[in-house]
């Protein structure tokens, strides 16, 4: 087990051209603590898998260094890094039995037969595979194959980190929950460092203690699920996390008020006014807006479609033509009405060119 | 109701039956017809029963040709299959080398059989052939028209040159279909080069290898043109394989009855052996290929 440190990592698939646009990973400084459960969240093509492959050694970074504890491993080949990886599509050795699959990494490392049997039996019980040990891996279902894949990582006790590359993509939805909670339980038991790549926020938020959000080759925020929700560092985080995502409105700032069109919204903090070149935006989550048709406090909006997304209802409203989503309670709001919108001041954030502004207390 | 559907079904397969009848069943029946009769000039035929079959199965000439044929096919399979796999493994996976290698590999397959025979017939000649002359000047007696061993070597090397490419191309296609993650997983699991071959590449190659073995077995077991052009079955009878023997019997001696009986036995041997290969090689394939990959 190890603490993993990435220092100024950048990677380009076409070589170091000097042109920043060629880089799949722009510049990363990250430390993953020993025994932590991390999620790497971002849309397809943001560089998550590239980063993962740099950690496992399947790729060597164009720039920067990788450390496991204090040892530099930047150009160490995969087989000497002692990492484990679970891929998007389950990789099993078809012709081997489940037992042999789990035993494979140990056999390759010359572990003694008795010890192999003991460890495989023990692990199979934890993974609920004890009844499948003698079966050929070929005919098994995707979720069992994925468990085997994970098992081949867990079987090595000295593994530095276990990497998950969107491991639940091909699993049926009802089994996803089961596997995810099993994974969390295993993490507590084994205390490995785990890095879990996904583009599914639910997966990231339920699995991880800390989530790293990536966007276009850069890390835009590292934080607990709560931090990501309450104070997104970047408009992308606000939009990507949460369902529906954060409302982003172009605005200007006057002291402790945001000006959207002809309306003023209190912010509770003082922000620097726009210099004209930076683009200012107001971000507020649908959960922190209150819509009412009876009171006349707040901003006048017209109410459009109302979507029932199971556990809550979301109203699409329009503020002088600007679309916003608002979470509303049961049955009190009807579409086609006009209403008033109140912003929850502490949760209204100001972004300059996408980045969160801190502001000063009044 | 169901009966009507069945009748229509027959109508649908009728064209296929007609085609198969024309190109396979009718000629085969002609051969069966010949095999149970004795023929004289003037188109006179006499019933011979099973006597040609009995005679052939006890004929030393047939045993010798059959033995040579088995040895030849065994050698061909033992050389071409492993060699094909090794070459396919060594071929580049990407870059400009891929088309170059593929074209080079496909070249021998594009040459007609009798041309291949002619190429090697000249190539091996001790007076003007590059190979034969070089060997002769090194003091090696490589005279394939007189030395059975030289004749065998020539025929085998010629076949390896001509047909290994087929195995290579099949295996290369099989290897290309293995996703990269398998190799990545193997590296993470610390697998050796041999383990990667044994547990990833070979299992994924199994299906194409089955095809390669069947094709190479059938073709080598029926080989005719190339040895006929190069050695004419000689020296002596040392490279007289079954097909060559059959043609000698049917056209050289005009023994239609025995030749027809031999054709049928020949056909049954190939059918039987292919069935055995197929059954043995797909033995562990009983579980369906499930999942995404």
């Amino acid at each position: 087990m190890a603490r993993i440190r990435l220092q100024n990592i950048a990677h380009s698939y076409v070589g170091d051209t000097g042109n920043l646009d060629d880089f799949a990973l722009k510049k990363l400084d990250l430390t993953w603590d020993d025994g932590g459960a991390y999620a790497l969240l971002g849309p397809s093509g943001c560089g998550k898998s590239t980063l993962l492959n740099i950690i496992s050694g399947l790729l060597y970074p164009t720039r920067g260094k990788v450390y496991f504890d204090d040892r530099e491993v930047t150009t160490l080949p995969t087989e000497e890094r002692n990492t484990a990886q679970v891929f998007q599509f389950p990789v099993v050795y078809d012709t081997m039995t489940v037992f042999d699959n789990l035993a494979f990494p140990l056999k390759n490392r010359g572990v003694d037969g008795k010890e192999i049997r003991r460890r495989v039996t023990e692990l199979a019980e934890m993974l609920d595979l004890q009844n499948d040990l003698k079966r050929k891996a070929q005919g098994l279902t995707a979720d069992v194959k994925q468990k085997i894949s994970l098992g081949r990582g867990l079987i090595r006790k000295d593994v530095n980190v276990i990497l998950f590359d969107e491991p639940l993509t091909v699993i049926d939805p009802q089994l996803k929950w089961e596997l995810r909670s099993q994974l969390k339980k295993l993490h507590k038991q084994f205390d490995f460092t785990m890095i879990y790549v996904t583009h599914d926020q639910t997966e990231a938020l339920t699995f991880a203690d800390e989530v790293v959000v990536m966007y276009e080759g850069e890390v835009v925020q590292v934080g607990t699920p709560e931090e990501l929700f309450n104070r997104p560092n970047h408009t992308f985080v606000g939009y990507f996390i949460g369902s529906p995502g954060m409302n982003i409105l172009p605005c200007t700032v006057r002291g402790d008020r945001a000006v959207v069109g002809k309306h003023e919204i209190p912010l509770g903090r003082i922000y620097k006014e726009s210099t004209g070149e930076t683009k200012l935006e107001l971000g507020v989550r649908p959960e922190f807006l209150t819509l009412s048709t009876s009171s006349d406090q707040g901003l006048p909006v017209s109410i459009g479609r109302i979507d029932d997304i199971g556990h809550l209802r979301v109203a699409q409203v329009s503020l002088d033509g600007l679309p916003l989503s608002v979470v509303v309670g049961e049955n009190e709001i009807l579409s086609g009405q006009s209403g008033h919108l109140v912003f929850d001041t502490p949760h209204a954030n100001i972004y300059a060119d996408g980045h969160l502004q801190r502001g000063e207390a009044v | 109701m169901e009966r009507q559907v069945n009748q229509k079904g027959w109508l649908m397969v009728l064209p296929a039956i007609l085609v198969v009848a024309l190109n396979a069943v009718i000629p085969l029946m002609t051969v069966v017809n010949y095999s149970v009769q004795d023929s004289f000039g003037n188109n006179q035929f006499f019933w011979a029963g099973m006597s040609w079959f009995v005679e052939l199965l006890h004929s030393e000439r047939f045993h010798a040709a059959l033995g040579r044929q088995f040895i030849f096919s065994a050698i061909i399979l033992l050389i071409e299959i492993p060699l094909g796999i090794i070459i396919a493994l060594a071929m580049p996976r990407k870059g400009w080398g891929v088309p170059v290698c593929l074209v080079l590999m496909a070249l021998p397959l594009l040459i007609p059989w009798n041309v291949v025979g002619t190429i090697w017939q000249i190539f091996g000649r001790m007076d003007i052939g590059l190979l034969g002359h070089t060997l002769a000047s090194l003091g090696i007696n490589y005279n394939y028209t007189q030395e059975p061993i030289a004749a065998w070597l020539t025929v085998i090397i010629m076949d390896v040159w001509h047909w290994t490419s087929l195995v290579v191309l099949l295996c290369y296609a099989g290897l290309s279909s293995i996703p990269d993650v398998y190799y990545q997983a193997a590296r993470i699991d610390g697998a050796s080069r041999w383990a990667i071959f044994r547990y990833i590449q070979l299992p994924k190659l199994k299906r194409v290898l089955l095809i390669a073995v069947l094709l190479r077995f059938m073709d080598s077991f029926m080989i005719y043109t190339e040895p006929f052009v190069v050695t004419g079955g000689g020296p002596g009878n040392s490279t007289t394989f079954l097909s060559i023997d059959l043609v000698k019997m049917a056209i050289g001696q005009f023994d239609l009855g025995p030749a027809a009986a031999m054709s049928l036995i020949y056909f049954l041997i190939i059918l039987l052996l292919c069935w055995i290969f197929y059954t043995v090689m797909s033995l562990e394939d009983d579980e369906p290929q499930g999942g995404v990959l």
Side-chain angles (χ1 to χ4, degrees):
Chain A
M1 279 184 260
R3 188 170 56 104
I4 294 163
R5 191 151 62 88
L6 304 174
Q7 199 184 63
N8 294 327
I9 290 288
H11 188 76
S12 150
Y13 284 99
V14 293
D16 201 341
T17 53
N19 180 1
L20 207 62
D21 288 343
D22 289 337
F23 280 79
L25 282 181
K26 300 269 154 62
K27 183 166 171 288
L28 287 180
D29 264 303
L30 271 177
T31 304
W32 319 80
D33 281 326
D34 194 1
Y38 295 93
L40 205 52
L41 181 66
S44 303
C46 73
K48 300 172 307 230
S49 296
T50 308
L51 184 59
L52 211 61
N53 288 340
I54 285 173
I55 296 172
S56 65
L58 295 170
L59 272 181
Y60 298 145
T62 315
R63 295 182 196 159
K65 293 194 167 100
V66 183
Y67 293 91
F68 283 6
D69 287 329
D70 291 321
R71 181 169 171 234
E72 199 201 319
V73 296
T74 315
T75 56
L76 205 66
T78 304
E79 42 282 31
E80 287 168 42
R81 284 198 194 191
N82 228 345
T83 60
Q85 191 160 350
V86 179
F87 296 92
Q88 186 169 3
F89 295 103
V91 176
V92 294
Y93 303 104
D94 285 341
T95 52
M96 293 187 203
T97 60
V98 173
F99 181 97
D100 287 332
N101 260 282
L102 293 174
F104 192 58
L106 297 181
K107 277 186 191 156
N108 289 329
R109 287 167 175 80
V111 177
D112 148 84
K114 244 192 202 155
E115 172 70 6
I116 291 180
R117 190 156 314 120
R118 194 182 63 72
R119 266 155 76 174
V120 170
T121 321
E122 188 188 83
L123 181 67
E125 235 152 83
M126 290 184 201
L127 292 171
D128 282 332
L129 290 172
Q130 63 270 46
N131 298 323
D132 292 326
L133 281 178
K134 290 201 176 99
R135 290 188 61 184
K136 276 261 166 76
Q138 191 174 35
L140 301 171
T141 53
D143 57 307
V144 180
K145 283 185 178 179
Q146 208 56 308
K147 276 198 218 169
I148 296 172
S149 213
L150 170 65
R152 288 205 314 271
L154 294 174
I155 196 92
R156 288 184 277 144
K157 295 230 160 113
D158 54 346
V159 122
N160 282 319
V161 55
I162 301 187
L163 307 165
F164 297 86
D165 194 352
E166 307 190 16
L168 300 182
T169 311
V170 295
I171 311 292
D172 289 340
Q174 69 271 32
L175 285 170
K176 273 188 189 180
W177 279 102
E178 215 178 295
L179 279 184
R180 212 153 48 207
S181 53
Q182 205 173 2
L183 200 58
K184 260 203 129 155
K185 208 175 77 195
L186 287 168
H187 178 245
K188 287 202 186 97
Q189 266 172 355
F190 281 82
D191 211 26
F192 286 128
T193 312
M194 287 188 174
I195 301 177
Y196 190 107
V197 162
T198 178
H199 58 241
D200 179 337
Q201 50 163 322
T202 322
E203 248 173 71
L205 299 179
T206 51
F207 170 80
D209 308 330
E210 199 153 83
V211 180
V212 176
V213 186
M214 290 185 70
Y215 178 58
E216 291 185 343
E218 281 174 289
V219 171
V220 285
Q221 188 165 6
V222 181
T224 61
E226 211 177 5
E227 285 167 354
L228 295 179
F229 188 79
N230 286 333
R231 252 181 123 60
N233 249 342
H234 193 277
T235 45
F236 171 75
V237 180
Y239 157 80
F240 195 69
I241 290 181
S243 174
M246 187 182 242
N247 296 302
I248 315 272
L249 305 168
C251 70
T252 54
V253 169
R254 200 174 297 148
D256 65 345
R257 285 170 182 271
V259 183
V260 177
K262 55 185 194 297
H263 307 288
E264 285 199 357
I265 296 148
L267 297 168
R269 296 174 79 79
I270 299 172
Y271 293 89
K272 262 193 277 175
E273 284 176 30
S274 167
T275 56
E277 274 160 42
T278 51
K279 191 176 77 176
L280 286 184
E281 282 161 317
L282 171 69
V284 61
R285 290 203 174 273
E287 288 83 352
F288 301 128
L289 289 170
T290 317
L291 182 62
S292 132
T293 44
S294 48
S295 117
D296 53 1
Q297 281 196 331
L299 311 176
V301 292
S302 60
I303 302 169
R305 203 177 69 237
I306 294 179
D307 299 322
D308 196 331
I309 56 172
H311 56 293
L312 45 82
R313 294 205 308 154
V314 179
Q316 306 296 331
V317 304
S318 162
L319 172 67
D320 294 342
L322 293 169
L324 287 117
S325 305
V326 186
V327 170
V328 292
E330 288 297 323
N331 297 327
E332 62 195 272
I333 307 282
L334 293 171
S335 80
Q337 288 177 310
S338 58
H340 284 85
L341 197 61
V342 177
F343 283 66
D344 183 11
T345 306
H347 289 107
N349 299 317
I350 291 292
Y351 297 91
D353 284 340
H355 294 278
L356 181 70
Q357 301 302 298
R358 297 285 163 205
E360 285 167 41
V362 178
Chain B
M1 190 70 192
E2 208 168 291
R3 178 172 285 249
Q4 259 182 354
V5 173
N6 281 342
Q7 306 293 1
K8 266 185 201 158
W10 279 111
L11 222 69
M12 305 292 270
V13 294
L14 196 62
I17 291 178
L18 276 176
V19 171
V20 174
L22 277 175
N23 71 17
V25 180
I26 293 174
L28 192 67
M29 283 305 131
T30 323
V31 176
V32 172
N33 185 32
Y34 281 133
S35 73
V36 291
Q37 301 188 75
D38 196 0
S39 64
F40 292 92
N42 233 356
N43 251 352
Q44 297 180 62
F45 286 91
F46 297 92
W47 176 252
M50 289 287 110
S51 61
W52 296 133
F53 291 93
V54 176
E55 191 177 297
L56 189 83
L57 289 173
H58 290 94
S59 138
E60 268 179 38
R61 175 175 155 182
F62 178 70
H63 291 168
L66 186 63
R68 279 191 290 272
Q69 189 66 73
F70 272 120
I71 293 170
F72 180 74
S73 284
I75 291 174
I76 291 301
L77 286 181
L78 285 175
I79 295 176
E80 288 182 9
I81 299 294
L83 187 64
I85 295 174
I86 290 168
I87 295 176
L89 286 173
M91 269 168 64
R93 283 290 116 76
K94 50 187 167 192
W96 57 268
V98 176
V100 172
C101 284
L102 287 179
V103 169
L104 283 179
M105 278 296 144
L107 271 183
L109 299 175
L110 301 176
I111 302 174
W113 289 270
N114 52 348
V115 177
V116 172
T118 314
I119 291 174
W120 282 82
Q121 202 255 350
I122 297 169
F123 190 50
R125 276 174 64 163
M126 287 177 83
D127 49 355
I128 55 165
L130 185 63
L131 176 70
H133 190 73
T134 312
L135 287 174
S137 54
L138 288 171
I140 298 165
N141 183 22
Y142 178 78
N143 187 346
Y144 64 82
T145 56
Q146 284 172 16
E147 299 291 327
I149 291 183
W152 267 79
L153 276 176
T154 311
V155 176
I156 285 169
I157 293 171
M158 174 174 65
D159 196 85
V160 168
W161 176 82
H162 194 182
W163 288 112
T164 305
S165 296
L166 180 73
V167 183
V168 173
L169 293 180
L170 283 170
C171 288
Y172 188 75
L175 287 173
S176 310
S177 72
I178 303 176
D180 270 346
V181 281
Y182 276 83
Y183 296 110
Q184 295 176 347
R187 285 179 65 191
I188 286 165
D189 289 337
S192 62
R193 185 72 196 78
W194 167 250
I196 290 176
F197 175 70
R198 170 70 186 78
Y199 297 112
I200 295 175
Q201 291 170 325
L202 200 58
K204 300 272 172 199
L205 281 183
K206 212 165 121 189
R207 277 150 199 275
V208 291
L209 276 181
L210 173 64
I211 295 169
V213 167
L214 282 180
L215 284 178
R216 283 319 301 134
F217 167 72
M218 283 190 284
D219 271 352
S220 66
F221 208 78
M222 296 187 284
I223 190 166
Y224 174 75
T225 317
E226 300 101 311
F228 180 76
V229 172
V230 177
T231 64
N237 272 333
S238 64
T239 55
T240 301
F241 301 118
L242 282 177
S243 288
I244 296 179
D245 203 27
L246 181 62
V247 172
K248 273 184 189 169
M249 196 184 285
I251 300 182
Q253 301 157 221
F254 221 72
D255 287 333
L256 290 185
M262 184 173 167
S263 300
L264 287 176
I265 290 174
Y266 196 176
F267 170 64
L268 289 177
I269 291 174
I270 293 179
L271 208 62
L272 178 71
L273 286 171
C274 285
W275 178 77
I276 291 173
F277 274 125
Y278 185 82
T279 312
V280 170
M281 289 188 72
S282 51
L283 211 55
E284 291 181 357
D285 252 7
D286 44 2
E287 281 190 279
Q289 285 261 312
V292 180
L293 296 172

